[in-house]
Amino acid sequence: MSSTVPARPESVFTYGAPALKFGPGASDEIGFDLSQHGVRRVLVITDAGVAATGAPHRIAERMTAFGIGAHVFDGVHVEPTDASLREAVDHARASGPWDAFVAVGGGSSIDTAKAVNLLSTNPGTLMDYINAPVGRALAPENPLKPLVAVPTTTGTGSESTTICVLDVLELRVKTGISHARLRPTLAVIDPDLTFTLPAGVTAASGMDILCHALESYTARPYDTYPRKHPEQRVPYCGANPISDAWSERALQLLARSFRTAVRDGDDPEARSDMALAATFAGLGFGNAGVHIPHANAYPIAGRVKDFHPAGYPAHEPMVPHGMAVSLTAPEAFRFTFSAQPERHLRAAELLAPGMERPADAAEYLPTAIQRLMRDIGMPDGIGGVGYDKGDIPALVDGAMKQQRLLATAPREVTEDDLAGIFDRSLSLW
């Protein structure tokens, strides 16, 4: 485990989740839902690509029947940066005040809406709230407005979580803001909105679902931490019985439908399964936490050179978050196997029920992940997105800045450990 058993081990775990509405057509009812909060003026936050599908404007128009004036902001940057979040916040402040916010899109839109909500209701700057050591990690002083999260991708889980993720451009590091008040008031999951997803986006965002489920399932158990005082409790409390149940169900749905959703985006059952899997995994990791693959993903995405993934905007290089998370996952779970062998084996059985168990049990889960990655077209490790041995020190440095995540790993993680994981992840097959 990450440490010896403390003298006073934790005996309490916490669980939080937004109100949830799931099913085809659920997004048509947002006007009614907001009217129950006395809302009259709403800012719909999305990106240009999602706006082009017509969904955000359609959602905005349907609010008028409930006396709600909705305006669409489509300036979200895919993979948000500190600069793009400031632009969105400035727009909201200049055009406000707003009674509520509705995020329509992937994690980028939902995370941008969280930052807009935070900084339009509280004083200070973005860096005041960004997690330490990058920012000051201040807690909001004031309550936030209602936020409805409407994901159009299946993966980030941002509709369920208290986290806002961003790139700090000057530092070339991906980090986040984490506070319970950032959690959306309502998550509206409408599988009909995901049919326009390109195969490459389905694959990358689906790997985010997978790693959310696997990392929270193998996270350090809540009762191995020292006992906390009530004011010390944080959203990520470690693996616990409730998050375990969500993670297991997400893995079962992925095993059934992930490959189909990438291969045939018009399959309604596969799309529904992926939307449900993303929701379940979000409800799990949003409380248990994630660890090494996510910590590694931040510098992989933040230090991108010249990689242009299929299905994403082509005007700038990027490694999509879910793809970045996947690239060191096989090696990360080889590393954590010794801390919780039975959990890694159970996860592999759920993810690849028809696969024969290898002679070396530690290879079971990494092999299942690698086979899935190859089937859905993920790059062959970090070398596949442009990194080489010379980049490893900078990647390790970026990952080590994610101590909030690394503390959730079931084993203590040193710089040398991360260097080995990155080195072995240069090529996975």
Side-chain angles (χ1 to χ4, degrees):
M1 302 304 297
S2 294
S3 63
T4 57
V5 177
R8 291 189 69 235
E10 184 58 86
S11 62
V12 174
F13 68 87
T14 57
Y15 188 82
L20 175 68
K21 181 172 283 192
F22 183 99
S27 59
D28 295 340
E29 302 181 6
I30 292 171
F32 169 80
D33 297 322
L34 286 175
S35 71
Q36 305 306 294
H37 293 271
V39 168
R40 288 292 175 262
R41 196 161 187 265
V42 173
L43 183 63
V44 178
I45 296 173
T46 190
D47 68 67
V50 174
T53 70
H57 290 88
R58 188 167 62 250
I59 289 169
E61 289 166 5
R62 286 178 176 157
M63 293 186 207
T64 60
F66 298 90
I68 297 173
H71 303 263
V72 176
F73 169 74
D74 64 1
V76 167
H77 186 275
V78 177
E79 302 293 339
T81 67
D82 53 339
S84 76
L85 292 185
R86 289 189 188 100
E87 289 176 7
V89 169
D90 288 346
H91 174 87
R93 285 174 170 171
S95 56
W98 303 100
D99 298 326
F101 301 96
V102 175
V104 183
S108 298
S109 293
I110 299 171
D111 285 3
T112 298
K114 290 175 180 177
V116 166
N117 197 5
L118 173 65
L119 286 164
S120 62
T121 54
N122 282 271
T125 67
L126 194 63
M127 292 302 292
D128 288 331
Y129 298 99
I130 287 175
N131 295 331
V134 179
R136 297 179 64 198
L138 296 184
E141 299 175 9
N142 305 321
L144 277 62
K145 301 288 187 179
L147 168 60
V148 178
V150 190
T152 59
T153 63
T154 46
T156 71
S158 185
E159 70 277 3
S160 300
T161 73
T162 62
I163 313 298
C164 161
V165 177
L166 68 147
D167 286 302
V168 178
L169 294 175
E170 185 178 355
L171 300 178
R172 298 191 71 189
V173 66
K174 191 177 283 280
T175 182
I177 303 171
S178 175
H179 192 275
R181 291 187 187 177
L182 267 63
R183 195 190 308 276
T185 313
L186 172 65
V188 176
I189 319 298
D190 187 341
D192 285 352
L193 299 179
T194 68
F195 281 91
T196 57
L197 279 184
V201 179
T202 302
S205 58
M207 287 305 299
D208 205 15
I209 305 175
L210 175 62
C211 289
H212 287 157
L214 291 176
E215 289 172 62
S216 59
Y217 195 62
T218 59
R220 180 178 173 181
Y222 78 95
D223 56 2
T224 65
Y225 289 89
R227 181 69 181 244
K228 298 180 180 67
H229 296 291
E231 69 276 8
Q232 296 173 316
R233 301 204 182 281
V234 294
Y236 280 6
C237 66
N240 61 79
I242 294 178
S243 62
D244 288 349
W246 292 123
S247 297
E248 288 191 352
R249 185 62 180 138
L251 290 170
Q252 291 173 320
L253 289 166
L254 290 170
R256 184 169 77 187
S257 292
F258 193 175
R259 290 173 173 86
T260 302
V262 174
R263 184 177 62 249
D264 179 10
D266 292 326
D267 186 307
E269 183 178 0
R271 286 296 192 190
S272 182
D273 277 355
M274 293 298 286
L276 202 54
T279 303
F280 286 172
L283 293 170
F285 94 87
N287 293 276
V290 289
H291 53 85
I292 298 171
H294 268 74
N296 291 348
Y298 286 175
I300 291 171
R303 305 186 68 84
V304 61
K305 297 177 182 179
D306 192 32
F307 182 74
H308 296 266
Y312 287 85
H315 61 276
E316 61 182 271
M318 65 180 297
V319 182
H321 174 67
M323 179 183 292
V325 170
S326 75
L327 297 177
T328 64
E331 286 301 328
F333 290 115
R334 281 191 178 94
F335 173 78
T336 56
F337 177 83
S338 62
Q340 300 177 325
E342 70 293 336
R343 288 204 165 224
H344 288 67
L345 296 175
R346 175 62 177 155
E349 290 170 350
L350 293 169
L351 178 61
M355 193 179 98
E356 184 177 346
R357 181 181 295 195
D360 181 355
E363 292 297 309
Y364 198 5
L365 183 55
T367 301
I369 298 169
Q370 288 171 198
R371 288 185 180 182
L372 174 60
M373 290 175 67
R374 295 185 73 168
D375 287 349
I376 62 171
M378 285 293 100
D380 181 10
I382 62 174
V385 298
Y387 291 106
D388 56 37
K389 276 186 177 290
D391 297 308
I392 290 176
L395 293 173
V396 169
D397 181 66
M400 286 299 292
K401 287 184 169 67
Q402 313 305 322
Q403 286 300 314
R404 179 180 61 87
L405 306 185
L406 294 177
T408 312
R411 286 182 61 186
E412 183 179 352
V413 189
T414 67
E415 290 188 12
D416 287 345
D417 294 328
L418 288 178
I421 290 170
F422 278 117
D423 185 67
R424 294 188 297 274
S425 298
L426 286 166
S427 178
L428 298 174
W429 51 77

